[in-house]
Amino acid sequence: MWHPETHTFYMPFRECTVTLQDVAFQLGLPVYGWAVTGCLGEFEKFMEGGRPTWEWFQDLFSELPPPNKVKQMTVHFTWFHERFRVLPADATEDTVRIYAHAYIMMLLSTRLFGDKSANQVHIRWLPFVANLDDMGRYSWGSAALACLYQCMCRVTNRNVTNLAGPLYLLQSWIF
């Protein structure tokens, strides 16, 4: 049974929980570094000094998704997957960078911080993905663990029927 107050499982033999050490060991994510933070409500106003979000998206990916693939501040995973699935054999350094941005956006939105649908790529990750050199400086492990705790606490509500978040972390920890 999950106890939201302490973020622990109560087992017949003792209490236990997923720790930062578990995250670092099982996922290989850094647990020290810059905090993964940002305004999730109106983040587009704060991106790159007020620059329009979709302009920034177009600069990073060299194109915009069709309107039928956009829902508020998310892009359907299928558009990313179809567009960036295979790197061309004659790819330039800029093309490789664009594909890296897309791949990391997909990983963050569907694997590490996925929602219940798992088919949306949220553009709130643009500030983190924009500078690939800084990606390793963030404490992704801490953010993933916080996300897991939040999802576990949310699912203790009897009205919630689905669990989201980094569930493979929970699965590997249980194993």
Side-chain angles (χ1 to χ4, degrees):
M1 177 185 291
W2 178 257
H3 289 271
E5 306 83 23
T6 58
H7 300 298
T8 58
F9 289 100
Y10 178 76
M11 305 290 200
F13 51 90
R14 66 181 170 132
E15 284 188 284
C16 55
T17 192
V18 183
T19 65
L20 278 175
Q21 183 179 6
D22 296 326
V23 175
F25 179 73
Q26 293 176 17
L27 300 182
L29 293 172
V31 294
Y32 298 104
W34 299 342
V36 178
T37 62
C39 178
L40 300 181
E42 297 181 16
F43 73 95
E44 68 273 6
K45 292 181 182 176
F46 302 101
M47 295 176 92
E48 210 174 82
R51 183 175 179 200
T53 305
W54 292 104
E55 265 184 35
W56 198 6
F57 185 97
Q58 186 167 11
D59 287 349
L60 282 177
F61 299 107
S62 299
E63 64 184 281
L64 288 173
N68 66 336
K69 297 290 185 182
V70 175
K71 183 178 179 184
Q72 295 176 343
M73 289 297 173
T74 62
V75 179
H76 286 277
F77 177 81
T78 55
W79 179 80
F80 268 95
H81 187 260
E82 291 166 1
R83 173 63 184 86
F84 300 106
R85 179 177 28 197
V86 179
L87 183 68
D90 60 343
T92 65
E93 187 174 326
D94 288 337
T95 304
V96 170
R97 187 172 292 111
I98 290 169
Y99 275 69
H101 288 290
Y103 184 73
I104 293 169
M105 287 277 288
M106 289 187 287
L107 284 177
L108 290 173
S109 288
T110 61
R111 297 289 177 224
L112 205 53
F113 305 105
D115 60 8
K116 289 183 246 181
S117 70
N119 65 359
Q120 300 291 322
V121 176
H122 203 290
I123 63 171
R124 71 174 159 236
W125 304 114
L126 284 176
F128 301 100
V129 175
N131 188 350
L132 294 176
D133 294 333
D134 287 343
M135 288 293 298
R137 295 184 176 139
Y138 286 98
S139 178
W140 294 106
S142 301
L145 184 60
C147 180
L148 177 65
Y149 284 175
Q150 181 183 26
C151 293
M152 293 297 295
C153 290
R154 190 176 299 131
V155 83
T156 59
N157 180 339
R158 73 177 65 173
N159 297 323
V160 175
T161 57
N162 292 328
L163 180 60
L167 299 181
Y168 53 87
L169 169 60
L170 183 61
Q171 292 169 331
S172 65
W173 176 80
I174 290 169
F175 180 71

